[in-house]
Amino acid sequence: MTTLSTMDAFDEQDLTVARTPTQEAWRRFKKDKLGLVFLVVIAIYFLVALWAGTFGWGGSYEVAGQTRPAYEASMGQLGIQLDGKPFPESQVPPTLAGGANTILGTDALGRSVFYRGLQSTKVAFIVGTFGALLSVVIGMTLGLLAGFLGGWVDRVVVFVYSTLASIPYLLLMLAIAFVVKKGDFADWYDDLKFRDFDVSDFISLGLLNLVVVIGLTSWVTLCRLVRAEVFKVRELDYVNAARSLGFGTGRILFRHVLPNVFHLVIINFSLTFVIAIKSEVILTFLGVGVDKEPSWGQTIAGAKNELMTGIWWPLATAGTLLFGLTLAVNYVGDALRDALDPKLKT
Amino acid sequence: MIQYVIRRILYAIPVLLVVAFITLWLFDIAAGDPAAIKLGKNPSPEAVAALHEKLGFDDPFLVKYGKFLWSTVTLDYGVSFTDDTPVRTIFARGIGPTLSLTIPAFLLGTLVSVVLALLVAFYRGSLLDKTMTVVAIAAISISSLVYILVFQYVLADQWKLFPIWGYEYGFGALTFVALPVLIWILLSIGTDMRYYRTVALEEISRDYVRTARSKGVSERKVLFSHVLRNCLIPIVTRMAIIVPFLITGSFLLEIFFGIPGLGNTLYTAIGNSDLPVIKAFTMLGTVLYVIFDILADVSYAVLDPRVRLQ
């Protein structure tokens, strides 16, 4: 009986519980409270992006000097009731007079800086998510193949990435951007339609350009890491066991090797997400980024001329919103690295 | 070692051939007709034909490729589209201002990063370490364009601590590069400090540190004379990799502060679709990268006797 009561003293939490690697990682991630806070921040940004996605790209394009009904209609589109508040006549600094429309002031065209800042979240998520996705898919696939197959496949992949890495980064980005935006591709894309669905209305050429440029230029880091890790993993016993059971290369690669290097992919996704939304600002400033949709890059690039005349609020808004998202993703990425590293069991 | 270097150089040749191919191909598609840039609107067909003849615009791609490769060997990239200055002269003019900005920025930045990294590694796990980690993450989360705009506005325009724009050759350059150097350090410190902290922590966990401690060497001496010396290897290797970027310069800083360096030259060239300059820039950037990549590996072997290059 004594044994049993001693056993009782070991609470359930003290017993070794079988956890899947994902549960284990989440258990460790949860310990970092600041990480959880930033995860919530990312979720809020994502909801804002979805909200911005519901009313297309138009939204807050209310222009100073519009007639009142037109202005009300455009705000109505956003689901915002004006309730007799005045609409902005020209660029005004932050004031409570116009409610949410002018709470952070208006830009040179009388558009609400507040709503425009929130709407830009959509561009950030599209560029970040799809740019990073393209990048990790290329990097992961090439890294897996090079590491697992070795031989000439490996030599080709290494040659491709060492070539790509040796070209000055910004020039490579600009060269690809010029080809996408100015070449024959631009006309072809403009006409691209699936039945009645015009693709270029949904994702404009400027946006697609950013996704392609970021995807094609930022996969090298992940490819190197995955290749090096697969080199180690492929010699391990369980891979040999899988081979001796007669499993095909594809099955071993995706069912046995990939899960063991996938933490690198997740971590790299968060890093590339940040690179993507920061590159959006630089590329938009250089004139090869987005031009139709509201984006933080556009606002920040435009602030170059505004700031010297004392107009600080568009820069402050876009800069802060951009900072919030990048900080959150950077921090969560860092916490993920600690949580997912199998060598750091605590 | 010499064998290794020769093999690396031989390996670099196909890389350069492919880069030259990509550069020529991408920029040829992107740029369009040089006549439209050089001759303005509505040029006469004869003038266009003469210019095409002179620039070899209608040559087959392989001929252009051959000429381009030869330019890289002789380092003679012809003349700029915009004002017929030889590309070589343009580069010679830009290199001084660029280095006057990047070298002090890089040296000071590395010094500050290494000292801070050793400090937080010394107090690892403490509140200071944790705070600095969060501060570093916050610092790298701000867009570089925002840094430049805000610092230029506040420190130069409002507080008049630095000149807003311009450049002066000789010692006068110091006043003009001071603010860009400061911004560069702030931009690089977040990444660098974290990198060097990892390096330092890795060294601290080694056996020789335990031995030194068990002999009774003070923690401070362990850190600054034992650990720092071993950290120098990754520090120097990292510096070798960064050198090419010091030469090509900082694009944004040079534009915003009006420093007539290579970054600024490139920006103007892109604005004018000045292909000879852009192509030369891409090729030289690549050559520098390849050279210093080899040097980084060699320096690793020279500094660390355990590393043998095969």
Side-chain angles (χ1 to χ4, degrees):
Chain A
M1 282 320 268
T2 15
T3 3
L4 236 174
S5 60
T6 344
M7 284 299 287
D8 284 344
F10 285 106
D11 232 6
E12 279 124 331
Q13 73 220 28
D14 282 359
L15 292 174
T16 312
V17 201
R19 295 191 194 90
T20 66
T22 320
Q23 285 170 334
E24 175 65 26
W26 172 243
R27 192 182 67 90
R28 283 194 280 168
F29 182 84
K30 271 194 307 193
K31 283 186 191 157
D32 191 342
K33 297 295 171 231
L34 202 52
L36 284 177
V37 171
F38 280 124
L39 203 61
V40 173
V41 171
I42 298 175
I44 293 171
Y45 268 95
F46 184 65
L47 289 177
V48 170
L50 285 181
W51 165 79
T54 54
F55 47 78
W57 293 113
S60 67
Y61 279 82
E62 70 284 5
V63 172
Q66 272 180 333
T67 54
R68 175 113 203 158
Y71 178 67
E72 275 181 345
S74 70
M75 292 314 283
Q77 246 190 346
L78 286 164
I80 294 153
Q81 296 303 318
L82 287 169
D83 298 331
K85 284 171 193 134
F87 66 96
E89 292 290 348
S90 60
Q91 187 152 20
V92 291
T95 160
L96 286 172
N101 302 315
T102 59
I103 190 164
L104 293 171
T106 62
D107 67 7
L109 295 173
R111 298 175 294 200
S112 164
V113 167
F114 175 64
Y115 284 120
R116 230 175 128 71
L118 292 188
Q119 270 192 303
S120 307
T121 322
K122 188 178 168 187
V123 164
F125 267 93
I126 290 181
V127 170
T129 312
F130 292 108
L133 208 58
L134 183 60
S135 159
V136 297
V137 166
I138 299 175
M140 181 186 81
T141 315
L142 292 182
L144 275 177
L145 291 176
F148 196 73
L149 300 176
W152 67 269
V153 180
D154 184 40
R155 281 199 288 277
V156 170
V157 170
V158 171
F159 181 77
V160 170
Y161 75 56
S162 39
T163 306
L164 208 60
S166 60
I167 305 176
Y169 184 64
L170 197 67
L171 279 165
L172 183 67
M173 280 186 143
L174 282 172
I176 298 174
F178 278 133
V179 171
V180 173
K181 283 203 104 171
K182 289 186 179 169
D184 302 330
F185 177 80
D187 302 327
W188 175 81
Y189 185 72
D190 217 28
D191 296 333
L192 185 64
K193 268 187 186 138
F194 290 113
R195 299 208 178 86
D196 285 338
F197 179 69
D198 193 340
V199 184
S200 60
D201 272 356
F202 182 64
I203 292 182
S204 76
L205 186 64
L207 259 184
L208 179 80
N209 178 34
L210 284 175
V211 170
V212 171
V213 165
I214 289 152
L216 289 185
T217 52
S218 56
W219 56 268
V220 174
T221 319
L222 179 65
C223 185
R224 274 191 178 136
L225 289 172
V226 169
R227 174 177 168 269
E229 197 62 28
V230 171
F231 267 138
K232 284 184 224 156
V233 169
R234 71 169 184 184
E235 302 301 331
L236 295 181
D237 284 344
Y238 68 86
V239 176
N240 280 329
R243 269 209 202 94
S244 64
L245 285 170
F247 292 159
T249 308
R251 176 166 174 163
I252 296 174
L253 206 52
F254 287 99
R255 294 282 298 277
H256 301 268
V257 177
L258 181 59
N260 286 287
V261 297
F262 202 70
H263 62 284
L264 295 173
V265 178
I266 296 174
I267 295 158
N268 207 266
F269 182 87
S270 73
L271 290 176
T272 318
F273 186 94
V274 170
I275 293 175
I277 51 179
K278 282 171 86 180
S279 301
E280 189 265 320
V281 178
I282 309 293
L283 289 170
T284 303
F285 170 75
L286 293 172
V288 289
V290 293
D291 32 26
K292 293 199 185 77
E293 303 84 356
S295 82
W296 295 326
Q298 269 196 323
T299 312
I300 293 173
K304 189 189 176 212
N305 299 323
E306 290 177 336
L307 207 53
M308 294 301 163
T309 51
I311 298 168
W312 52 270
W313 49 95
L315 174 68
T317 307
T320 310
L321 286 170
L322 173 67
F323 170 69
L325 182 59
T326 353
L327 176 64
V329 177
N330 266 334
Y331 193 90
V332 169
D334 238 41
L336 271 179
R337 187 173 53 200
D338 294 344
L340 289 171
D341 192 339
K343 286 168 213 125
L344 282 175
K345 282 256 161 64
T346 42
Chain B
M1 174 89 103
I2 292 168
Q3 268 184 354
Y4 173 80
V5 173
I6 292 172
R7 208 173 47 246
R8 283 292 300 268
I9 292 171
L10 290 178
Y11 187 76
I13 290 172
V15 170
L16 291 177
L17 288 177
V18 172
V19 170
F21 184 86
I22 296 173
T23 310
L24 195 64
W25 180 58
L26 285 180
F27 283 115
D28 257 22
I29 299 176
D33 193 340
I37 303 153
K38 249 184 107 87
L39 301 173
K41 281 176 187 169
N42 306 320
S44 69
E46 295 79 36
V48 172
L51 186 72
H52 280 180
E53 178 65 37
K54 193 178 131 210
L55 296 173
F57 182 71
D58 297 321
D59 287 347
F61 187 79
L62 278 179
V63 175
K64 282 187 191 171
Y65 184 55
K67 281 184 185 167
F68 186 51
L69 286 180
W70 185 243
S71 310
T72 307
V73 176
T74 57
L75 291 182
D76 181 7
Y77 285 94
V79 296
S80 154
F81 275 177
T82 40
D83 57 358
D84 288 330
T85 325
V87 174
R88 212 187 269 174
T89 319
I90 293 178
F91 278 36
R93 263 197 317 236
I95 187 92
T98 288
L99 292 179
S100 75
L101 161 63
T102 56
I103 289 181
F106 173 63
L107 291 179
L108 282 174
T110 307
L111 187 71
V112 174
S113 303
V114 170
V115 169
L116 282 179
L118 284 177
L119 195 72
V120 292
F122 185 73
Y123 295 108
R124 61 194 167 278
S126 70
L127 189 65
L128 176 81
D129 182 25
K130 283 174 189 153
T131 318
M132 286 298 276
T133 307
V134 177
V135 169
I137 296 178
I140 57 170
S141 300
I142 300 173
S143 163
S144 48
L145 211 54
V146 173
Y147 268 111
I148 297 174
L149 285 166
V150 170
F151 275 77
Q152 193 176 34
Y153 178 65
V154 176
L155 297 182
D157 187 64
Q158 294 293 301
W159 296 357
K160 316 248 181 271
L161 294 175
F162 302 96
I164 292 187
W165 204 89
Y167 189 76
E168 196 177 287
Y169 289 84
F171 280 108
L174 279 178
T175 53
F176 287 97
V177 298
L179 184 53
V181 164
L182 182 69
I183 296 175
W184 171 305
I185 294 174
L186 287 172
L187 277 173
S188 63
I189 212 168
T191 325
D192 283 0
M193 193 196 85
R194 268 151 48 98
Y195 173 78
Y196 294 131
R197 176 181 175 273
T198 318
V199 168
L201 284 182
E202 206 166 286
E203 285 300 324
I204 284 175
S205 66
R206 294 200 191 262
D207 285 346
Y208 71 84
V209 173
R210 199 181 51 190
T211 311
R213 280 195 191 129
S214 63
K215 282 198 304 181
V217 178
S218 74
E219 190 67 13
R220 188 169 307 164
K221 201 171 172 208
V222 168
L223 194 67
F224 285 97
S225 66
H226 296 227
V227 175
L228 179 61
R229 281 179 77 170
N230 283 286
C231 287
L232 280 177
I233 298 164
I235 292 172
V236 171
T237 324
R238 191 176 164 90
M239 285 168 87
I241 297 170
I242 287 174
V243 170
F245 300 100
L246 300 184
I247 296 169
T248 48
S250 171
F251 206 55
L252 291 174
L253 286 173
E254 287 182 18
I255 301 167
F256 273 90
F257 290 97
I259 293 161
L262 288 175
N264 214 331
T265 308
L266 179 66
Y267 181 67
T268 321
I270 289 167
N272 297 332
S273 293
D274 196 342
L275 274 193
V277 177
I278 300 175
K279 284 193 286 201
F281 207 97
T282 317
M283 254 344 259
L284 292 179
T286 310
V287 172
L288 283 172
Y289 178 89
V290 169
I291 292 173
F292 279 93
D293 198 34
I294 299 174
L295 281 181
D297 282 355
V298 171
S299 71
Y300 210 86
V302 170
L303 290 171
D304 189 343
R306 286 167 304 180
V307 177
R308 291 270 182 275
L309 298 174
Q310 299 279 313

